Structure formats: structure tokens, C-alpha cells
Amino acid sequence: MDKPKVVLGVSGGIAAYKACELLRRLTESGHDVRVVPTAASLHFVGAATWSALSGHPVSDEVWQDVHEVPHVRIGQEADLVVVAPATADMLAKAAHGLADDLLTNTLLTARCPVVFAPAMHTEMWEHPATQENVATLRRRGAVVVEPAVGRLTGVDTGKGRLPDPGEIFEVCRRVLARGVAEPDLAGRHVVISAGGTREPLDPVRFLGNRSSGKQGYALARTAVARGARVTLIEAGTGLPDPAGADVVRVGTAVQLREAVLKAAPDADVVVMAAAVADFRPAEYATGKIKKKDGEEAPALNLVRNPDILAEISAERARPGQLVVGFAAETDDVLANGRAKLRRKGCDLLVVNEVGERRTFGAEENEAVVLAADGRETPVPYGPKEALADTVWDLVSESLRSR
């Protein structure tokens, strides 16, 4: 079988060196990659490096090999175009259809999915001109991932850092796997919770659960690949940030509730995939609770935590907002799931069986997605990304009908 053809566009930012890692991941996973750098990017990484890593000749000129019409053919033959890093200048050129070099010509002729991974200083990313260009590209069907927050050039820190190359690769892999040029969640804002909340007992102990957060992260990654703007609220996962997601870190159920309520007002979809503690200690010990010889263990008094899923389902932050819940059950899985769906009032409920060696921390999952209208969609045992895509398929269908 022919290898998928990927065009890796590299524009002139300091993060150009990180694209070498993205190129390595693409080639080692069986993709045929053609690197198309801008002239400015060659000040950071030379053509010899790109040629050696890709196995293809590299040029930024439209006048080289003119008989092969590279400014047309490269885009026409591509299965995916990814630009990483995408500078503010490149986003502006792409949004306005300029074609003054080989990469911008390639973008104009490509009819395959296009992914932009921006990297620039915070002020440049937040400038109204850049935001308008990003909105234009997304409206046309391009996937523009949100930049990461972190150290920039010099002493600056903020939003604008190129996401981890491994995470950009995951976006590219998901976009290629779907094989759809038009992302169905483009223009949508989705809020996803992931992980397990921790309720402090004292400065060194907490009540928690076994949730790894991997299903929530799979939902975030697949949503980004389908064009959504993603806010990921994570509790205690320790997982790397998915490329393109705005990550909010919380610890307790109360903090998770605050973060969800803050993000929900402009969200089209809220997905509560986190395992939220039902109870928390009534009192917090400011010092470590110590065992004492001859004394019984101290009694632990618990109080109920807020029911976030029921609250956001009952009081939708905006008209037409969809709410998706998760239910981990150990027995009478479907019966308990149906009862929980009615009780919580959400639109979809993903129900799965859990136990000592089931689901938690695994890369696979099996579930049934229950809908408020009575439909039930079984998802066979497989990668958590497959379950995530099924959830987004159902969400996308519901959003189109509203």
C-alpha cells in the first residue's frame, strides 16, 4: 500500500527545531513526508537537515524543478498538510490567500485536511488580527490547534509555545485516520473534565480514586482533531497536555465545580468524564494525623460533595448546550446507568463496568452510550480513542439537529 503523503510546512520561528521531532515521528510511523520550509525558517534549520530526515529534496522556491509544477503538485497530491510552527505571518498569509512562496502555494492547492500548530509570543497570539485570521482559517475547515502555555524565547512566559511534537503528531494521526477534510466540530467549544478528584484529609493524605484520566484525554485529543476548541479540566492525572487544549488544573470536587461553571457559559458541549468524589472529609486536619499507641483509629466524618453533572444538566449555561456524563458501575451496569441518566438529566451517559483490573489506567475501554431519547449505542472493547470518536459522532449529530 502507498504510504500516506504528508506535507510538513515549517515557517520562520525559533520553534522550527522542534519540527524535526515531529518529522521523525511521522516518518517512523510509515508516512511519506515532504518538508516545505519558508525562507525564514531555513535560518533556524537548514535544508540539508530536512532532506536527510525526510529522504526528499527540500526547497522553498517555486522556480526549482519548474517542469514538475511543484507549487501545484505538492498540495494536490497530499493526504495531509501540517504547518508547525505556524507563525503569525504564516497564519495571516494563509487566511488571506497569499502565495508568495512554495508553502503558501501548497496551502492554496491542497484539498486535503490542513493542520496549523501556531507558535509565537503571547501578545502576537492575542492580537485581534491574529485571532481574526485564526477564526477565518477555522471557518474554512482548517484545524488550528491552540498554542501551549510555557516558556517562550528570552525570559518571557505565556501562551504561544509550540505544543509538544508528540502531541501534534497525535492530532495529525487522528485527522488522517478520519480522512475527512471538513472537521465536524469546527467552531464548537467543548469543555471536558478528566482524572480523579482528591479530597485532603491532612497535609499528606487524601481520599481519591483510581481514575487515570486517559479517557478524558482521549476525548480532548479527538475533539481537537475534529476542529473543536477544547478546555480540559484535569484532576491529578500527571498526563502531558494534549496539543490544542487549554488545560485547567484542579484538585478537589469543589475546585472542579468552580472550573466547570466558569468554562461552561460559552461551551456548546460539556463532558464530565472525571471521577468526582461523592464525599469529602467534614474537617481538614492542619497537621498530620498520627496513630497513637493504645488508641483506636480516629473516626472519619464525611459530607457530600456537590453533584456537578446534575447541576449543569438542570441549569444549562446556554440554550442548546449538550451535557455528557460518565458512569462507572460494578454491577447491574445498564440498569444503574439508565437510572442515573434519568436522575442526572444529561443528554448522553457513557456507562462502563469497572473493577480491580478493568478500565482504570488501561488503554482500552468498553461501554454503552445511553441517550435521553432512549437510544443505546454499544461500543465494543477497543482503544479509548474509538469510544471518544463514538461520543463525538453522537454529539455532532445532536448539534446538527438543534
Side-chain angles (χ1 to χ4, degrees), residues 16-367:
Y17 76 93
K18 296 183 180 180
C20 294
E21 172 66 13
L22 176 58
L23 173 57
R24 184 186 67 81
R25 288 177 179 265
L26 287 165
T27 55
E28 289 185 356
S29 58
H31 299 86
D32 180 13
V33 186
R34 176 79 177 262
V35 180
V36 181
T38 65
S41 76
L42 294 176
H43 288 285
F44 298 100
V45 182
T49 299
W50 296 124
S51 181
L53 292 176
S54 68
H56 289 293
V58 170
S59 174
D60 65 311
E61 291 284 346
V62 296
W63 305 109
Q64 186 168 321
D65 298 322
V66 174
H67 65 288
E68 296 179 359
V69 203
H71 71 291
V72 174
R73 293 287 181 263
I74 294 174
Q76 285 179 333
E77 296 173 356
D79 297 304
L80 173 73
V81 177
V82 52
V83 183
T87 61
D89 179 66
M90 177 52 61
L91 294 174
K93 288 180 176 179
H96 290 85
L98 300 184
D100 60 354
D101 63 6
L102 188 56
L103 179 53
T104 50
N105 273 270
T106 298
L107 289 169
L108 277 181
T109 57
R111 294 299 179 266
C112 60
V114 178
V115 175
F116 292 93
M120 63 198 74
H121 268 71
T122 305
E123 293 83 359
M124 299 173 74
W125 171 253
E126 293 178 346
H127 195 282
T130 302
Q131 290 300 302
E132 183 63 31
N133 291 333
V134 168
T136 297
L137 291 169
R138 285 173 172 164
R139 190 167 58 249
R140 292 177 185 160
V143 175
V144 185
V145 302
E146 293 285 314
V149 176
R151 181 70 178 269
L152 306 172
T153 55
V155 297
D156 294 337
T157 299
K159 188 170 186 177
R161 183 183 177 91
L162 185 74
D164 181 80
E167 290 296 323
I168 299 174
F169 168 74
E170 289 299 321
V171 174
C172 294
R173 185 178 64 81
R174 292 304 310 157
V175 171
L176 271 170
R178 281 182 55 77
V180 179
E182 186 71 25
D184 59 349
L185 294 179
R188 302 292 189 177
H189 178 207
V190 302
V191 174
I192 303 165
S193 69
T197 59
R198 298 176 175 183
E199 307 300 328
L201 290 164
D202 61 25
V204 297
R205 301 183 180 91
F206 61 84
L207 291 177
N209 57 68
R210 297 184 181 185
S211 178
S212 66
K214 289 181 178 179
Q215 185 62 71
Y217 273 61
L219 283 157
R221 290 189 178 99
T222 51
V224 168
R226 295 171 76 143
R229 177 167 66 91
V230 177
T231 299
L232 176 64
I233 303 170
E234 71 91 23
T237 66
L239 298 173
D241 293 351
D246 287 322
V247 180
V248 179
R249 291 179 173 81
V250 298
T252 67
V254 170
Q255 292 170 347
L256 180 63
R257 175 183 178 272
E258 292 174 353
V260 169
L261 293 181
K262 181 179 180 180
D266 73 337
D268 298 285
V269 188
V270 179
V271 182
M272 291 296 299
V276 183
D278 293 322
F279 307 97
R280 68 180 184 274
E283 297 179 356
Y284 172 75
T286 57
K288 180 181 176 181
I289 301 172
K290 295 182 177 293
K291 60 183 178 182
K292 298 179 180 179
D293 293 340
E295 293 186 8
E296 296 292 329
L300 182 60
N301 296 319
L302 301 176
V303 296
R304 292 179 66 96
N305 269 323
D307 191 330
I308 307 171
L309 179 58
E311 181 179 357
I312 62 175
S313 297
E315 301 177 13
R316 306 293 170 110
R318 59 184 296 184
Q321 185 178 72
L322 283 173
V323 177
V324 181
F326 273 68
E329 301 290 345
T330 57
D331 51 59
D332 296 329
V333 175
L334 285 180
N336 286 332
R338 294 183 188 109
K340 186 171 185 177
L341 176 64
R342 291 191 295 270
R343 189 169 66 253
K344 301 293 185 180
C346 51
D347 301 286
L348 298 172
L349 187 71
V350 183
V351 185
N352 61 284
E353 186 175 1
V354 297
E356 184 67 25
R357 285 177 291 274
R358 293 174 179 160
T359 303
F360 292 122
E363 302 299 329
E364 295 78 27
N365 204 347
E366 180 179 5

